Amino acid sequence: MLSRKKRSGAVRSDQWVLVAPDILNESAQKPTNKTLFVKLRSPSTEKGVLFLFINSGEQICELKAFHEEYRSWFVGQTVQQDGRLLYATPMDPLFLVLYYLIKAYREQEKFQPLEQIVVDEEFPSCNMLLECPRVAESIHHVTEEKEISSKKFYKYSKEKTLAWLKKKVDQTVKVLKSSEICVGAGVQSANFIRTKQESDVKEEDYTCYAHGLISEYLPVDLKEELSKFLELPEPSSPAQEPSSKKRKFSDLPVEAEEDYTKFNSDSKHKKPNSKMTAAQKSLAKVDKSGMKNISSFFSPKSKSKAAK
Amino acid sequence: MDLEDFERDNSRNQLLVSSVPDVCRTEDCCLGIDEAGRGPVLGPMVYGICYFPVSRKKDLVDLKVADSKTLSESEREQLFEKLNAAPDYIGWAVHILSPNVISTSMQQRAKYNLNALSHDTAIGLIQYALDAGVQLTEVFVDTVGPAEKYQEKLKQRFPGLDVTVRPKADSLFPVVSAASICAKVARDRAVKGWKFVEDLGDIDTNYGSGYPNDPKTKEWLARYLDPVFGYPQFVRFSWSTAQTILQSRAAPVIWADDEDAAAGSTGKSSSQPVLSSYFSSQKEDCQPKRHRFFQERLLEPLSDL
């Protein structure tokens, strides 16, 4: 990985900080190679997003921005107001082609040459996908293929696609486990370092999480079909965090976090306290592994109770 | 008074002390506290203490120590030398509070105001004298804020001491006058020998008194304003004089704890969920949300550069 800065003539946002694969560095040294940013349709949102085509599509990277509020960069002797950190990470271009394959299949269920399938008036650059060696290599995972007089024709295959996506999900699950990503339903801080693995996380949680992650690259219909194919339960909302979990520092009226004076004033409180210790001791011995996270009590199931 | 350490790194506070006279460890002593450089927008604030045996109070009167404000700089220097020339019974200590520390204290997330900073510095100096073995019985303090409250605070902190907090104590008690001379001399020397850590080239040090209402000081502040960084560390950023100029002429900087930033473009409701929102079922958003993997890591798709 390397971080590099580029300049253009613009007054503002004339620099960005990018983390990209090493191959980009090699590509920069060979001026004959075509490396460029391309705006393509996101399969899931159908909006235009940027991709990086390195060496004429030898490697295709999606671009993500780490965007936290109130950040700026000091770059050398300059200040960059845009404090985002951009990541170019390799992705499978087949996801981008898949969108067009499904669309073409829906319009007319027939075999077509790829250059007739991958067409987009709004994002004409999508024809660059056809030049990607990886697309040619892997397109058989998601299509039926016919060859007539050395010309190849393709048709979207739902069965093959779902089988291919299941493999993707399995691969993702492996990575989720090895990277120790929290996939449980409880709301957890990404910064909190756990001393031991969560014991109550089921295999299904990993599959759900991986399915959600992969669906970021799939049209909505296919997302649902894949969910059924993987026999996942209906999506329930408690896994979703309440929209705003921002740390707030000073907006709320502040009370002392530990106000021991409340207990000091009243001597009655002292007695039960001393009695408690025995109970507390026994409580401490209880196996806590199966206990619920508090957020689970705020799920819609408990809504009826709360409404009362 | 050796300011070398402070001049080497003037971004931190510095405690400078005289040797403790032997009599002060055996005889009952009085101690005076005063500060110099509370008001200026420039330079450090200095807290000084002076102590000597109660039996030698008269000797101080003979030295003609008087309120430092009524003296010229050279008179103060002379008097300080006199105090310093009597190490057999007079001891002193000064605590130099770097303008950088003042700025960062007052502007940190959990605000630490100038009065609290002053009180704590004074308490620290009394504690220093006690730790050094000075047989303290009486403490005289020039007040910061309401005298009664301050006196109560000090008495609570040092129940064994007879604490007197008075406004204008520096003109009432010779021991406070002596402390004020120590503080004022230290402040003058620190300002005079100020080494700017910033690379400012040939800096014009003609900044006047350093008080906010001094036109020379104002002009200097306007002249050495950097649109990005603001001022050198010599300036107390927390002073409203400095902040007003920064707000009107420097590039706007928004911090996470700025109140107007929190209530900014999105409005308060978005950052602070209503309690009831936790109990109602989630509203189905018409546009699909990003997966929580990306949300939790604040990763967004990039649609433009």
Side-chain angles (χ1 to χ4, degrees), chain B residues 4-14 44 96-101 190 193-198 233-234:
Chain B
E4 208 178 290
D5 280 345
F6 180 70
E7 279 167 8
R8 203 174 303 124
D9 181 7
N10 55 29
S11 62
R12 293 157 190 255
N13 297 345
Q14 177 80 41
I96 305 173
L97 299 173
S98 163
N100 179 50
V101 174
W194 192 267
K195 293 208 172 60
F196 288 90
V197 285
E198 298 82 7
Q233 282 187 3
F234 187 52

Side-chain angles (χ1 to χ4, degrees), chain B residues 32-49:
Chain B
I33 306 178
D34 199 15
E35 113 285 303
R38 186 178 162 79
V41 62
L42 302 176
M45 176 163 85
V46 180
Y47 257 79
I49 58 166

Side-chain angles (χ1 to χ4, degrees), chain A residues 39 48-50 63-68 70 84 182-184 209 212-213 216 241-242 244 252 298 303 306, chain B residues 109 228-229 256 261 270-273 278-279 282 290-294 296-300 302-305:
Chain A
K39 198 171 201 176
V49 285
L50 282 176
L63 286 156
K64 286 266 193 278
F66 171 73
H67 188 190
E68 202 172 16
Y70 319 119
R84 291 181 305 171
C182 295
V183 298
Y209 196 97
L213 207 45
E216 288 280 304
E241 278 186 52
S244 138
L252 296 163
F298 292 90
K303 188 192 162 192
Chain B
R109 275 212 163 123
V228 173
F229 297 102
S270 68
S271 56
Q272 224 172 349
Y278 290 97
F279 293 95
Q282 217 106 56
R290 277 177 292 145
H291 188 249
R292 60 183 257 222
F293 177 85
F294 297 111
E296 283 166 7
R297 285 159 186 77
L298 304 171
L299 290 169
E300 297 177 346
L302 204 64
S303 54
D304 271 303
L305 269 180

Side-chain angles (χ1 to χ4, degrees), chain A residues 32 48 73 137 146 157 166 190 207 210 242 258-259 293:
Chain A
T32 48
W73 289 104
E137 280 164 25
K146 254 185 198 174
S157 160
K166 184 174 186 314
T207 314
E258 298 168 320
D259 189 355
N293 190 305

Side-chain angles (χ1 to χ4, degrees), chain B residues 251-287:
Chain B
V253 177
I254 304 160
W255 299 92
D257 59 345
D258 281 353
E259 256 140 63
D260 32 301
S265 51
T266 44
K268 243 184 180 171
S269 54
S270 68
S271 56
Q272 224 172 349
V274 188
L275 184 61
S276 61
S277 72
Y278 290 97
F279 293 95
S280 62
S281 61
Q282 217 106 56
K283 277 169 217 150
E284 291 304 317
D285 261 323
C286 25
Q287 58 185 45

Side-chain angles (χ1 to χ4, degrees), chain A residues 15 176 293:
Chain A
Q15 299 176 92
L176 289 173
N293 190 305

